Amino acid sequence: MSETIYTASPSPHIRSNITVKTIMRDVIIALMPALIVGIYFFKMNAVLVILTSVVSSVFAEWLWEKLTHKRITIGDLSAVVTGLLLAFNLPPTIPLWMVIVGAFFSIIVVKQFFGGIGQNFVNPALAGRAFLLASYSTAMTKWTVDGVTTATPLAILKTGKGTLPPITDLLIGNIGGCIGEISAIAILIGAAYLFYKKIISWEIPVTYIGTVLILTLLFGRNGFYEIFAGGLMLGAFFMATDYTTSPVTSKGKIIFGIGCGILTAVIRRFGPNPEGVSYSILIMNLFVPLIDRKTAPRIFGEVK
Amino acid sequence: MELLTFKKGIYPPHNKYLTEDKEIIDMLPKEELVIPMLQHTGAPAVPVVQKGDRVLKGQKIGEANGKISSNVHSPVSGTVESTKQIYTSFGKKTLALVIENDGKYEEVKYPEKRDYNSMAVDEIIEAIKEAGVVGLGGAVFPTYFKLMPPKGATIDTIIVNGAECEPYLTGDYRLMLEKTNELIEGLKILLKIFPNAKGYIAVENNKEKAYKALKDAAKNEKGIEVCYLKTKYPQGSEKHLIYAITKREVPSGKLPLDVHCIVQNVGTVISVYQAVVFGEPVISRVVTVSGDAVKEPKNLRVSFGTSFKDAIEECGGFKEEPVKILSGGPMMGISLSNLDYPVSKNVTGIVALTKKSTDLSDETSCIRCGRCIDACPMNLMPALLDNLSRLNRYDDFKEKGGMNCIECGCCSYVCPAKRHITQSIKKGKLNSKK
Ligand code: SF4
Ligand code: SF4
């Protein structure tokens, strides 16, 4: 018959205007309040760590894709998100070369070795942090506020040495800790934006934080204080909700959140280290394929 | 008021404002009509006229061939000029009769107006069959066949599908407004066939005027209820419409009649009325010609055999160059490579989209965001099925419920990675059947 003039392609012929890039852009926007607080309290140190982390993450992704002749995907902004999250999980005084090592590890070993975006099975930023912690534990656990070495609230709780800062300091961010985790309020503002934009749903953060709260209270400690301490807020809203490394179904997300919560509370209470958020999420990441398999929704019209 | 609906689904911009206030205009047939013998699901009709024959408007020119088939009639008077093989807008190759329109519109002699109340059920069904009535919502399944459920099946619900959930399309909406009484009479004819059934007319809440008009017209009809549905895609899917109204789920692999329901589209029910009461065959249909490339979008009554090109010209042609021409709406419609296709019974709309209103972006990797799962009205895991289909793992594909996919397109619509999930699942379904 006649010639082809118009594009013949399969339905549907319209798509929503949400893309991977707009999602990543929204996550970046949501990280801004925590970034500002981090820079406010840690000054130039924070600026340098964040810049180094983001630039080396993006560069690592570009370099790997260039060398392996893959499509360059840095335009989807996911490497920027990884870079920001890695920086947020590092102490402000960490030597910059370590940041570069961490970023390369996150992007190349954790993300690209497994096939790039969507394929990795653990959270790249958290795995990068865990790698640095294992390799350079001293630099990774040195906390300063205004140039004075301090202990994080959780470390004070663990060792019993020092005085705990009031909860208002935890909300504002006037405490020792990683760059992006110190201010609960800043993180919650960012999280509210993610909810509003429907980037994340309630299941993981609510069950995660709820489980930690309940268990900590059961352990006879001040749960309401501890949920604002350490990396829990940042982890629950920004790390555990990472699409690639969390379950896809609603039921699965609830199981995942509860699992993260149990692990975190137990590690904090019984483990050798004061904090357990990163390891909890990393461990639960490994269960995601299993959880997904077990929580497939009931098909419409299926009789069981 | 509580709106009826189903779980999941999506809310695409409906873009019906382009034509919703435009009355249906009869488009005068052109000099030459190319009438496919296959305008329905099933076997093509067999021509009963030959090259050189003179035919009248409404004359049967193709005879149903077998149980699942349908008669085809001429929309004009004129001469059969030739026959040729063509492709229909739904992608099937078929024989078509080329009829030269003599412009006289001499009609066959129709029977006297009949009172369906004094007709036997067999007679009613025969009239529907004779008139070539098929599902005008796009599926074009022969209507008479749907009305003859196997012995032992009980039908307690007849639903007129006025959801029209595809963006852009407004033909059913206009019919509900302009042919309100015919629609209700048509439903009463169906209820005469199934005296124990209750009739429902289902309208989405973005068609308030139609809802009110129907509600008003049906207020004294005991057996008929007008239902208000939430505007959500794919509300017009048979299974989801049945669920919204009766809360019954059509079991996997089963038919609406297994849950005692029959669903018919608005246009179909009006055709039933015309066929039964006046003996008028289906020789034209309402087509919404719309999209941002069309100069003056309209609702047209188009005679079968009219080319897409002529229908678009009737609307002033293009104001901007389209990249896609769709037969049907943008969610499930078929994109055509040129405008030479004839309008047939399946064409609910002709939608011409420019580059900015359609999506041609490349697919990237799945980021496991779960949006497709949250959108799938069949409660499937589209990302997983997509993967299995691409890996040619058809056993797993079936085991994960792939065959239940209704190809509604919700998953592809929401996917931020722009993956062609629906297409890949369609392929999986086809290959799994092999
Ligand atoms: S998997 Fe099939 S039924 Fe589910 S959203 Fe995609 S096209 Fe629709
Ligand atoms: S919507 Fe697209 S990116 Fe998200 S899980 Fe489904 S296939 Fe993957």
Side-chain angles (χ1 to χ4, degrees), chain B residues 43-75:
Chain B
V46 179
V48 289
V49 292
Q50 280 174 357
K51 189 174 159 182
D53 284 359
R54 175 165 157 81
V55 296
L56 297 176
K57 179 179 175 187
Q59 182 180 332
K60 195 200 296 180
I61 54 174
E63 173 93 46
N65 180 18
K67 268 216 160 73
I68 303 185
S69 182
S70 173
N71 292 339
V72 176
H73 303 78
S74 175

PDB file of all heavy atoms in Angstrom, chain B residues 43-75:
ATOM      1  N   ALA B  43     -14.587 -13.901  11.315  1.00  0.00           N
ATOM      2  CA  ALA B  43     -14.307 -14.157   9.906  1.00  0.00           C
ATOM      3  C   ALA B  43     -14.814 -13.002   9.049  1.00  0.00           C
ATOM      4  O   ALA B  43     -15.851 -12.412   9.358  1.00  0.00           O
ATOM      5  CB  ALA B  43     -14.982 -15.450   9.479  1.00  0.00           C
ATOM      6  N   PRO B  44     -14.112 -12.671   7.966  1.00  0.00           N
ATOM      7  CA  PRO B  44     -14.570 -11.598   7.086  1.00  0.00           C
ATOM      8  C   PRO B  44     -15.914 -11.972   6.448  1.00  0.00           C
ATOM      9  O   PRO B  44     -16.214 -13.154   6.260  1.00  0.00           O
ATOM     10  CB  PRO B  44     -13.495 -11.513   5.997  1.00  0.00           C
ATOM     11  CG  PRO B  44     -12.369 -12.372   6.438  1.00  0.00           C
ATOM     12  CD  PRO B  44     -12.859 -13.296   7.496  1.00  0.00           C
ATOM     13  N   ALA B  45     -16.709 -10.959   6.121  1.00  0.00           N
ATOM     14  CA  ALA B  45     -17.956 -11.209   5.412  1.00  0.00           C
ATOM     15  C   ALA B  45     -17.629 -11.599   3.973  1.00  0.00           C
ATOM     16  O   ALA B  45     -16.561 -11.281   3.458  1.00  0.00           O
ATOM     17  CB  ALA B  45     -18.821  -9.956   5.434  1.00  0.00           C
ATOM     18  N   VAL B  46     -18.577 -12.308   3.349  1.00  0.00           N
ATOM     19  CA  VAL B  46     -18.377 -12.719   1.959  1.00  0.00           C
ATOM     20  C   VAL B  46     -19.190 -11.780   1.067  1.00  0.00           C
ATOM     21  O   VAL B  46     -20.386 -11.580   1.319  1.00  0.00           O
ATOM     22  CB  VAL B  46     -18.865 -14.170   1.765  1.00  0.00           C
ATOM     23  CG1 VAL B  46     -18.671 -14.600   0.316  1.00  0.00           C
ATOM     24  CG2 VAL B  46     -18.130 -15.101   2.713  1.00  0.00           C
ATOM     25  N   PRO B  47     -18.566 -11.189   0.046  1.00  0.00           N
ATOM     26  CA  PRO B  47     -19.307 -10.243  -0.795  1.00  0.00           C
ATOM     27  C   PRO B  47     -20.508 -10.926  -1.448  1.00  0.00           C
ATOM     28  O   PRO B  47     -20.402 -12.063  -1.903  1.00  0.00           O
ATOM     29  CB  PRO B  47     -18.290  -9.836  -1.861  1.00  0.00           C
ATOM     30  CG  PRO B  47     -16.956 -10.195  -1.303  1.00  0.00           C
ATOM     31  CD  PRO B  47     -17.163 -11.332  -0.371  1.00  0.00           C
ATOM     32  N   VAL B  48     -21.653 -10.236  -1.480  1.00  0.00           N
ATOM     33  CA  VAL B  48     -22.826 -10.798  -2.154  1.00  0.00           C
ATOM     34  C   VAL B  48     -23.193  -9.957  -3.383  1.00  0.00           C
ATOM     35  O   VAL B  48     -24.239 -10.143  -3.973  1.00  0.00           O
ATOM     36  CB  VAL B  48     -24.033 -10.936  -1.200  1.00  0.00           C
ATOM     37  CG1 VAL B  48     -23.791 -12.040  -0.196  1.00  0.00           C
ATOM     38  CG2 VAL B  48     -24.318  -9.624  -0.490  1.00  0.00           C
ATOM     39  N   VAL B  49     -22.339  -9.004  -3.728  1.00  0.00           N
ATOM     40  CA  VAL B  49     -22.515  -8.237  -4.965  1.00  0.00           C
ATOM     41  C   VAL B  49     -21.223  -8.359  -5.767  1.00  0.00           C
ATOM     42  O   VAL B  49     -20.188  -8.739  -5.224  1.00  0.00           O
ATOM     43  CB  VAL B  49     -22.817  -6.747  -4.678  1.00  0.00           C
ATOM     44  CG1 VAL B  49     -24.185  -6.587  -4.048  1.00  0.00           C
ATOM     45  CG2 VAL B  49     -21.743  -6.140  -3.770  1.00  0.00           C
ATOM     46  N   GLN B  50     -21.342  -8.033  -7.055  1.00  0.00           N
ATOM     47  CA  GLN B  50     -20.168  -8.180  -7.909  1.00  0.00           C
ATOM     48  C   GLN B  50     -19.790  -6.859  -8.535  1.00  0.00           C
ATOM     49  O   GLN B  50     -20.578  -5.913  -8.549  1.00  0.00           O
ATOM     50  CB  GLN B  50     -20.477  -9.173  -9.022  1.00  0.00           C
ATOM     51  CG  GLN B  50     -20.374 -10.596  -8.550  1.00  0.00           C
ATOM     52  CD  GLN B  50     -20.827 -11.565  -9.615  1.00  0.00           C
ATOM     53  OE1 GLN B  50     -21.265 -11.151 -10.696  1.00  0.00           O
ATOM     54  NE2 GLN B  50     -20.717 -12.848  -9.312  1.00  0.00           N
ATOM     55  N   LYS B  51     -18.618  -6.859  -9.072  1.00  0.00           N
ATOM     56  CA  LYS B  51     -18.157  -5.697  -9.806  1.00  0.00           C
ATOM     57  C   LYS B  51     -19.200  -5.330 -10.865  1.00  0.00           C
ATOM     58  O   LYS B  51     -19.716  -6.193 -11.570  1.00  0.00           O
ATOM     59  CB  LYS B  51     -16.832  -6.039 -10.484  1.00  0.00           C
ATOM     60  CG  LYS B  51     -16.151  -4.850 -11.083  1.00  0.00           C
ATOM     61  CD  LYS B  51     -14.775  -5.230 -11.604  1.00  0.00           C
ATOM     62  CE  LYS B  51     -14.380  -4.180 -12.633  1.00  0.00           C
ATOM     63  NZ  LYS B  51     -13.094  -4.466 -13.237  1.00  0.00           N
ATOM     64  N   GLY B  52     -19.563  -4.056 -10.943  1.00  0.00           N
ATOM     65  CA  GLY B  52     -20.536  -3.612 -11.926  1.00  0.00           C
ATOM     66  C   GLY B  52     -21.954  -3.535 -11.389  1.00  0.00           C
ATOM     67  O   GLY B  52     -22.803  -2.867 -11.961  1.00  0.00           O
ATOM     68  N   ASP B  53     -22.241  -4.235 -10.281  1.00  0.00           N
ATOM     69  CA  ASP B  53     -23.594  -4.214  -9.716  1.00  0.00           C
ATOM     70  C   ASP B  53     -23.952  -2.832  -9.193  1.00  0.00           C
ATOM     71  O   ASP B  53     -23.107  -2.111  -8.686  1.00  0.00           O
ATOM     72  CB  ASP B  53     -23.699  -5.201  -8.532  1.00  0.00           C
ATOM     73  CG  ASP B  53     -23.785  -6.635  -9.005  1.00  0.00           C
ATOM     74  OD1 ASP B  53     -23.785  -6.844 -10.237  1.00  0.00           O
ATOM     75  OD2 ASP B  53     -23.828  -7.538  -8.147  1.00  0.00           O
ATOM     76  N   ARG B  54     -25.248  -2.525  -9.301  1.00  0.00           N
ATOM     77  CA  ARG B  54     -25.703  -1.309  -8.653  1.00  0.00           C
ATOM     78  C   ARG B  54     -26.193  -1.684  -7.251  1.00  0.00           C
ATOM     79  O   ARG B  54     -26.864  -2.704  -7.061  1.00  0.00           O
ATOM     80  CB  ARG B  54     -26.836  -0.673  -9.453  1.00  0.00           C
ATOM     81  CG  ARG B  54     -27.428   0.537  -8.752  1.00  0.00           C
ATOM     82  CD  ARG B  54     -28.288   1.382  -9.672  1.00  0.00           C
ATOM     83  NE  ARG B  54     -29.245   2.171  -8.907  1.00  0.00           N
ATOM     84  CZ  ARG B  54     -28.941   3.324  -8.292  1.00  0.00           C
ATOM     85  NH1 ARG B  54     -27.722   3.829  -8.383  1.00  0.00           N
ATOM     86  NH2 ARG B  54     -29.859   3.979  -7.610  1.00  0.00           N
ATOM     87  N   VAL B  55     -25.829  -0.872  -6.271  1.00  0.00           N
ATOM     88  CA  VAL B  55     -26.276  -1.150  -4.902  1.00  0.00           C
ATOM     89  C   VAL B  55     -27.023   0.063  -4.369  1.00  0.00           C
ATOM     90  O   VAL B  55     -26.848   1.187  -4.846  1.00  0.00           O
ATOM     91  CB  VAL B  55     -25.089  -1.474  -3.961  1.00  0.00           C
ATOM     92  CG1 VAL B  55     -24.398  -2.752  -4.389  1.00  0.00           C
ATOM     93  CG2 VAL B  55     -24.083  -0.329  -3.914  1.00  0.00           C
ATOM     94  N   LEU B  56     -27.888  -0.210  -3.389  1.00  0.00           N
ATOM     95  CA  LEU B  56     -28.630   0.878  -2.751  1.00  0.00           C
ATOM     96  C   LEU B  56     -28.046   1.161  -1.372  1.00  0.00           C
ATOM     97  O   LEU B  56     -27.363   0.319  -0.786  1.00  0.00           O
ATOM     98  CB  LEU B  56     -30.104   0.493  -2.611  1.00  0.00           C
ATOM     99  CG  LEU B  56     -30.864   0.259  -3.912  1.00  0.00           C
ATOM    100  CD1 LEU B  56     -32.282  -0.207  -3.613  1.00  0.00           C
ATOM    101  CD2 LEU B  56     -30.877   1.529  -4.759  1.00  0.00           C
ATOM    102  N   LYS B  57     -28.361   2.334  -0.871  1.00  0.00           N
ATOM    103  CA  LYS B  57     -27.929   2.676   0.483  1.00  0.00           C
ATOM    104  C   LYS B  57     -28.608   1.723   1.465  1.00  0.00           C
ATOM    105  O   LYS B  57     -29.829   1.536   1.406  1.00  0.00           O
ATOM    106  CB  LYS B  57     -28.317   4.118   0.797  1.00  0.00           C
ATOM    107  CG  LYS B  57     -27.932   4.566   2.191  1.00  0.00           C
ATOM    108  CD  LYS B  57     -28.315   6.016   2.444  1.00  0.00           C
ATOM    109  CE  LYS B  57     -28.020   6.372   3.898  1.00  0.00           C
ATOM    110  NZ  LYS B  57     -28.515   7.692   4.253  1.00  0.00           N
ATOM    111  N   GLY B  58     -27.830   1.091   2.318  1.00  0.00           N
ATOM    112  CA  GLY B  58     -28.391   0.164   3.296  1.00  0.00           C
ATOM    113  C   GLY B  58     -28.476  -1.263   2.792  1.00  0.00           C
ATOM    114  O   GLY B  58     -28.870  -2.161   3.536  1.00  0.00           O
ATOM    115  N   GLN B  59     -28.075  -1.483   1.556  1.00  0.00           N
ATOM    116  CA  GLN B  59     -28.126  -2.842   1.010  1.00  0.00           C
ATOM    117  C   GLN B  59     -26.975  -3.682   1.552  1.00  0.00           C
ATOM    118  O   GLN B  59     -25.852  -3.201   1.704  1.00  0.00           O
ATOM    119  CB  GLN B  59     -28.044  -2.773  -0.522  1.00  0.00           C
ATOM    120  CG  GLN B  59     -28.136  -4.119  -1.195  1.00  0.00           C
ATOM    121  CD  GLN B  59     -28.058  -3.988  -2.714  1.00  0.00           C
ATOM    122  OE1 GLN B  59     -28.440  -2.952  -3.288  1.00  0.00           O
ATOM    123  NE2 GLN B  59     -27.548  -5.018  -3.363  1.00  0.00           N
ATOM    124  N   LYS B  60     -27.304  -4.941   1.799  1.00  0.00           N
ATOM    125  CA  LYS B  60     -26.256  -5.833   2.294  1.00  0.00           C
ATOM    126  C   LYS B  60     -25.296  -6.150   1.148  1.00  0.00           C
ATOM    127  O   LYS B  60     -25.718  -6.599   0.092  1.00  0.00           O
ATOM    128  CB  LYS B  60     -26.878  -7.125   2.821  1.00  0.00           C
ATOM    129  CG  LYS B  60     -25.916  -7.941   3.674  1.00  0.00           C
ATOM    130  CD  LYS B  60     -26.320  -9.391   3.810  1.00  0.00           C
ATOM    131  CE  LYS B  60     -27.632  -9.584   4.533  1.00  0.00           C
ATOM    132  NZ  LYS B  60     -27.998 -11.015   4.637  1.00  0.00           N
ATOM    133  N   ILE B  61     -24.009  -5.898   1.365  1.00  0.00           N
ATOM    134  CA  ILE B  61     -23.038  -6.200   0.305  1.00  0.00           C
ATOM    135  C   ILE B  61     -22.072  -7.304   0.729  1.00  0.00           C
ATOM    136  O   ILE B  61     -21.368  -7.872  -0.086  1.00  0.00           O
ATOM    137  CB  ILE B  61     -22.241  -4.943  -0.119  1.00  0.00           C
ATOM    138  CG1 ILE B  61     -21.586  -4.280   1.104  1.00  0.00           C
ATOM    139  CG2 ILE B  61     -23.138  -3.945  -0.835  1.00  0.00           C
ATOM    140  CD1 ILE B  61     -20.672  -3.124   0.739  1.00  0.00           C
ATOM    141  N   GLY B  62     -22.061  -7.584   2.042  1.00  0.00           N
ATOM    142  CA  GLY B  62     -21.224  -8.679   2.538  1.00  0.00           C
ATOM    143  C   GLY B  62     -22.028  -9.487   3.530  1.00  0.00           C
ATOM    144  O   GLY B  62     -22.726  -8.929   4.376  1.00  0.00           O
ATOM    145  N   GLU B  63     -21.965 -10.803   3.395  1.00  0.00           N
ATOM    146  CA  GLU B  63     -22.768 -11.684   4.245  1.00  0.00           C
ATOM    147  C   GLU B  63     -21.872 -12.293   5.331  1.00  0.00           C
ATOM    148  O   GLU B  63     -20.771 -12.756   5.040  1.00  0.00           O
ATOM    149  CB  GLU B  63     -23.344 -12.793   3.360  1.00  0.00           C
ATOM    150  CG  GLU B  63     -24.077 -13.890   4.074  1.00  0.00           C
ATOM    151  CD  GLU B  63     -25.573 -13.600   4.145  1.00  0.00           C
ATOM    152  OE1 GLU B  63     -26.133 -13.208   3.103  1.00  0.00           O
ATOM    153  OE2 GLU B  63     -26.149 -13.761   5.239  1.00  0.00           O
ATOM    154  N   ALA B  64     -22.389 -12.303   6.556  1.00  0.00           N
ATOM    155  CA  ALA B  64     -21.632 -12.908   7.654  1.00  0.00           C
ATOM    156  C   ALA B  64     -21.245 -14.333   7.299  1.00  0.00           C
ATOM    157  O   ALA B  64     -22.040 -15.070   6.728  1.00  0.00           O
ATOM    158  CB  ALA B  64     -22.471 -12.895   8.931  1.00  0.00           C
ATOM    159  N   ASN B  65     -20.030 -14.685   7.638  1.00  0.00           N
ATOM    160  CA  ASN B  65     -19.525 -15.999   7.281  1.00  0.00           C
ATOM    161  C   ASN B  65     -19.227 -16.784   8.552  1.00  0.00           C
ATOM    162  O   ASN B  65     -18.157 -16.661   9.129  1.00  0.00           O
ATOM    163  CB  ASN B  65     -18.274 -15.817   6.413  1.00  0.00           C
ATOM    164  CG  ASN B  65     -17.678 -17.139   5.997  1.00  0.00           C
ATOM    165  OD1 ASN B  65     -18.344 -18.172   6.054  1.00  0.00           O
ATOM    166  ND2 ASN B  65     -16.417 -17.113   5.590  1.00  0.00           N
ATOM    167  N   GLY B  66     -20.201 -17.546   9.011  1.00  0.00           N
ATOM    168  CA  GLY B  66     -20.002 -18.317  10.236  1.00  0.00           C
ATOM    169  C   GLY B  66     -20.577 -17.592  11.436  1.00  0.00           C
ATOM    170  O   GLY B  66     -21.186 -16.524  11.310  1.00  0.00           O
ATOM    171  N   LYS B  67     -20.388 -18.209  12.585  1.00  0.00           N
ATOM    172  CA  LYS B  67     -21.006 -17.711  13.819  1.00  0.00           C
ATOM    173  C   LYS B  67     -20.450 -16.366  14.249  1.00  0.00           C
ATOM    174  O   LYS B  67     -21.173 -15.447  14.583  1.00  0.00           O
ATOM    175  CB  LYS B  67     -20.753 -18.733  14.950  1.00  0.00           C
ATOM    176  CG  LYS B  67     -21.851 -19.746  15.092  1.00  0.00           C
ATOM    177  CD  LYS B  67     -22.034 -20.076  16.576  1.00  0.00           C
ATOM    178  CE  LYS B  67     -23.376 -20.697  16.874  1.00  0.00           C
ATOM    179  NZ  LYS B  67     -23.479 -22.086  16.409  1.00  0.00           N
ATOM    180  N   ILE B  68     -19.107 -16.281  14.286  1.00  0.00           N
ATOM    181  CA  ILE B  68     -18.505 -15.021  14.707  1.00  0.00           C
ATOM    182  C   ILE B  68     -18.094 -14.261  13.466  1.00  0.00           C
ATOM    183  O   ILE B  68     -16.992 -14.427  12.928  1.00  0.00           O
ATOM    184  CB  ILE B  68     -17.327 -15.257  15.663  1.00  0.00           C
ATOM    185  CG1 ILE B  68     -17.830 -16.069  16.853  1.00  0.00           C
ATOM    186  CG2 ILE B  68     -16.719 -13.950  16.109  1.00  0.00           C
ATOM    187  CD1 ILE B  68     -16.847 -16.285  17.943  1.00  0.00           C
ATOM    188  N   SER B  69     -19.008 -13.463  12.982  1.00  0.00           N
ATOM    189  CA  SER B  69     -18.812 -12.694  11.766  1.00  0.00           C
ATOM    190  C   SER B  69     -19.943 -11.683  11.723  1.00  0.00           C
ATOM    191  O   SER B  69     -20.803 -11.676  12.604  1.00  0.00           O
ATOM    192  CB  SER B  69     -18.840 -13.609  10.543  1.00  0.00           C
ATOM    193  OG  SER B  69     -18.594 -12.859   9.368  1.00  0.00           O
ATOM    194  N   SER B  70     -19.948 -10.842  10.714  1.00  0.00           N
ATOM    195  CA  SER B  70     -20.995  -9.824  10.681  1.00  0.00           C
ATOM    196  C   SER B  70     -21.290  -9.399   9.254  1.00  0.00           C
ATOM    197  O   SER B  70     -20.405  -9.407   8.396  1.00  0.00           O
ATOM    198  CB  SER B  70     -20.537  -8.620  11.503  1.00  0.00           C
ATOM    199  OG  SER B  70     -21.457  -7.569  11.363  1.00  0.00           O
ATOM    200  N   ASN B  71     -22.552  -9.019   9.014  1.00  0.00           N
ATOM    201  CA  ASN B  71     -22.935  -8.481   7.710  1.00  0.00           C
ATOM    202  C   ASN B  71     -22.317  -7.104   7.501  1.00  0.00           C
ATOM    203  O   ASN B  71     -22.061  -6.376   8.453  1.00  0.00           O
ATOM    204  CB  ASN B  71     -24.455  -8.334   7.616  1.00  0.00           C
ATOM    205  CG  ASN B  71     -25.148  -9.690   7.595  1.00  0.00           C
ATOM    206  OD1 ASN B  71     -24.526 -10.700   7.259  1.00  0.00           O
ATOM    207  ND2 ASN B  71     -26.421  -9.712   7.949  1.00  0.00           N
ATOM    208  N   VAL B  72     -22.118  -6.758   6.225  1.00  0.00           N
ATOM    209  CA  VAL B  72     -21.617  -5.432   5.883  1.00  0.00           C
ATOM    210  C   VAL B  72     -22.592  -4.829   4.880  1.00  0.00           C
ATOM    211  O   VAL B  72     -23.061  -5.515   3.968  1.00  0.00           O
ATOM    212  CB  VAL B  72     -20.198  -5.522   5.271  1.00  0.00           C
ATOM    213  CG1 VAL B  72     -19.715  -4.150   4.818  1.00  0.00           C
ATOM    214  CG2 VAL B  72     -19.217  -6.119   6.280  1.00  0.00           C
ATOM    215  N   HIS B  73     -22.930  -3.540   5.045  1.00  0.00           N
ATOM    216  CA  HIS B  73     -23.902  -2.876   4.184  1.00  0.00           C
ATOM    217  C   HIS B  73     -23.293  -1.666   3.504  1.00  0.00           C
ATOM    218  O   HIS B  73     -22.336  -1.082   3.999  1.00  0.00           O
ATOM    219  CB  HIS B  73     -25.121  -2.440   5.002  1.00  0.00           C
ATOM    220  CG  HIS B  73     -25.782  -3.566   5.729  1.00  0.00           C
ATOM    221  ND1 HIS B  73     -25.277  -4.092   6.896  1.00  0.00           N
ATOM    222  CD2 HIS B  73     -26.896  -4.287   5.444  1.00  0.00           C
ATOM    223  CE1 HIS B  73     -26.056  -5.078   7.304  1.00  0.00           C
ATOM    224  NE2 HIS B  73     -27.045  -5.229   6.433  1.00  0.00           N
ATOM    225  N   SER B  74     -23.918  -1.268   2.404  1.00  0.00           N
ATOM    226  CA  SER B  74     -23.402  -0.102   1.692  1.00  0.00           C
ATOM    227  C   SER B  74     -23.964   1.187   2.283  1.00  0.00           C
ATOM    228  O   SER B  74     -25.177   1.297   2.479  1.00  0.00           O
ATOM    229  CB  SER B  74     -23.772  -0.173   0.209  1.00  0.00           C
ATOM    230  OG  SER B  74     -23.357   1.026  -0.419  1.00  0.00           O
ATOM    231  N   PRO B  75     -23.129   2.175   2.530  1.00  0.00           N
ATOM    232  CA  PRO B  75     -23.608   3.439   3.086  1.00  0.00           C
ATOM    233  C   PRO B  75     -24.204   4.372   2.031  1.00  0.00           C
ATOM    234  O   PRO B  75     -24.784   5.395   2.385  1.00  0.00           O
ATOM    235  CB  PRO B  75     -22.353   4.081   3.686  1.00  0.00           C
ATOM    236  CG  PRO B  75     -21.246   3.091   3.508  1.00  0.00           C
ATOM    237  CD  PRO B  75     -21.655   2.131   2.455  1.00  0.00           C
TER     238      PRO B  75
END
